Amino acid sequence: MTTAFVLGGGGILGAVEVGMLRALFERGVTPDLVLGTSVGALNGAMVAREPRLPVIERLTDLWAQTAQSRDVYGDRPLRSVRRAVSTGTHIYSAKPLTARLAEEFGDTTFADLEVAFQVCAASIERSAEHWFDSGPLVPAIVASAAVPGLLPPARVETEFGVEHFLDGGLVNSIPVGRAVALGATRVFVLQVGRIDRPLSVPRRPWDVARVSFEVARRHRFTRELAEVPDDVEAHVLPAAGTSSKDDSMLAFRNFSSVQRRIDATYDASIAYLDEHLGPAPR
């Protein structure tokens, strides 16, 4: 059996994936393959480096530190406005995120990881889904998490030359199909909860882009999940502690409920695993 963990995108809601991971590791479920998009690329890299229960403590600390410092999206409003005006493309600098990742991973490469790991990003030049699976880890994660409008496109040298990348969620937010294509026979989908919430017709200009993106990402995920072969076991773990309030314009800066979301999703995931895999051994 080849087990894949598929970690989807979702900004601050990515904290719920820590609760899912804790539940999986406590049940003795470990991955042979990890795929990550956007914030799922960060969480996934931690897991691929240390695919065991102790990584949960490090992940929890990382999310707690981010909640306290808010350094990724921590610019003063005036500075953010000035950057948006001067660049015309983004509000925040990618330097704090890059520095945090470099502090965590240093010069780690994909080859250094214990488990096979791939990261999805959207190539601007090729208008294509691109999968990083070799070379330095940090540039790949930065590319996968380059949220349009918030962070600048990430410049990375690939086999196609120097390219610019945007958030992988634009092209493959929850890459179930990729896991199956790579030979997974059991897939655990770690998603942040947005796919569970009904969409409403947008009523404000800034809602249009969000709803359009959600339609596209949910359509692909639903299609790929339906196309999973009968001989592949697929589990979509439940997210808890999220709501429609997390879809507001400024929700990406609200880290106040990180631990609550981790704990709530852990409980929900334990219940799911007990139901679908049978009670945990005592």
Side-chain angles (χ1 to χ4, degrees), residues 35-66:
L35 303 177
T37 296
S38 197
V39 72
L42 169 58
N43 290 337
M46 299 284 287
V47 170
R49 183 178 62 179
E50 185 181 7
R52 294 173 292 280
L53 185 59
V55 74
I56 299 304
E57 182 177 355
R58 181 62 193 135
L59 271 168
T60 302
D61 288 344
L62 187 64
W63 276 96
Q65 291 167 16
T66 301

Side-chain angles (χ1 to χ4, degrees), residues 192-214:
V192 302
R194 286 198 175 112
I195 60 172
D196 302 326
R197 297 199 290 273
L199 287 174
S200 301
V201 175
R203 300 184 181 279
R204 294 176 291 265
W206 51 84
D207 283 337
V208 174
R210 178 185 63 80
V211 172
S212 299
F213 172 71
E214 282 298 319

Side-chain angles (χ1 to χ4, degrees), residues 12 61-77 79-80 83 91-98 100 151 250-259 261:
I12 61 165
D61 288 344
L62 187 64
W63 276 96
Q65 291 167 16
T66 301
Q68 293 168 6
S69 66
R70 301 185 182 184
D71 55 359
V72 175
Y73 299 130
D75 279 351
R76 295 177 180 177
R79 181 177 295 177
S80 298
R83 182 176 291 110
I91 299 174
Y92 299 106
S93 168
K95 292 181 180 178
L97 173 61
T98 304
R100 174 62 68 87
L151 295 173
L250 298 178
F252 68 91
R253 295 186 56 150
N254 181 14
F255 288 86
S256 61
S257 56
V258 163
Q259 190 61 54
R261 286 173 172 151

Side-chain angles (χ1 to χ4, degrees), residues 11 39 66 70 95 101 103 112 121 133 136 142 178 199 207 214-215 220 235 237 250 263 266:
V39 72
T66 301
R70 301 185 182 184
K95 292 181 180 178
L101 292 171
E103 180 182 347
D112 296 327
D133 60 4
V142 173
R178 179 76 175 182
L199 287 174
D207 283 337
E214 282 298 319
V215 169
R220 176 161 187 172
H235 298 279
L237 297 181
L250 298 178
D263 294 341
Y266 167 75

Side-chain angles (χ1 to χ4, degrees), residues 3-188:
T3 298
F5 286 4
V6 174
L7 293 91
I12 61 165
L13 297 184
V16 304
E17 295 175 351
V18 180
M20 296 172 183
L21 289 166
R22 178 186 168 194
L24 287 167
F25 284 130
E26 286 185 352
R27 286 295 300 263
V29 179
T30 57
D32 304 295
L33 169 68
V34 179
L35 303 177
T37 296
S38 197
V39 72
L42 169 58
N43 290 337
M46 299 284 287
V47 170
R49 183 178 62 179
E50 185 181 7
R52 294 173 292 280
L53 185 59
V55 74
I56 299 304
E57 182 177 355
R58 181 62 193 135
L59 271 168
T60 302
D61 288 344
L62 187 64
W63 276 96
Q65 291 167 16
T66 301
Q68 293 168 6
S69 66
R70 301 185 182 184
D71 55 359
V72 175
Y73 299 130
D75 279 351
R76 295 177 180 177
L78 182 57
R79 181 177 295 177
S80 298
V81 171
R82 286 174 177 169
R83 182 176 291 110
V85 171
S86 64
T87 66
T89 59
H90 57 278
I91 299 174
Y92 299 106
S93 168
K95 292 181 180 178
L97 173 61
T98 304
R100 174 62 68 87
L101 292 171
E103 180 182 347
E104 180 64 40
F105 295 107
D107 297 326
T108 300
T109 68
F110 282 83
D112 296 327
L113 303 174
E114 286 196 32
V115 171
F117 179 51
Q118 295 190 6
V119 169
C120 181
S123 167
I124 294 176
E125 285 82 0
R126 290 181 289 118
S127 301
E129 176 180 322
H130 180 84
W131 284 92
F132 291 93
D133 60 4
S134 62
L137 197 58
V138 169
I141 300 174
V142 173
S144 185
V147 181
L150 294 185
L151 295 173
R155 185 178 184 274
V156 185
E157 186 168 355
T158 72
E159 64 268 31
F160 301 100
V162 174
E163 294 186 85
H164 295 82
F165 293 92
L166 292 173
D167 194 296
L170 293 172
V171 288
N172 203 340
S173 186
I174 312 173
V176 175
R178 179 76 175 182
V180 174
L182 291 173
T185 55
R186 183 171 65 163
V187 179
F188 289 92

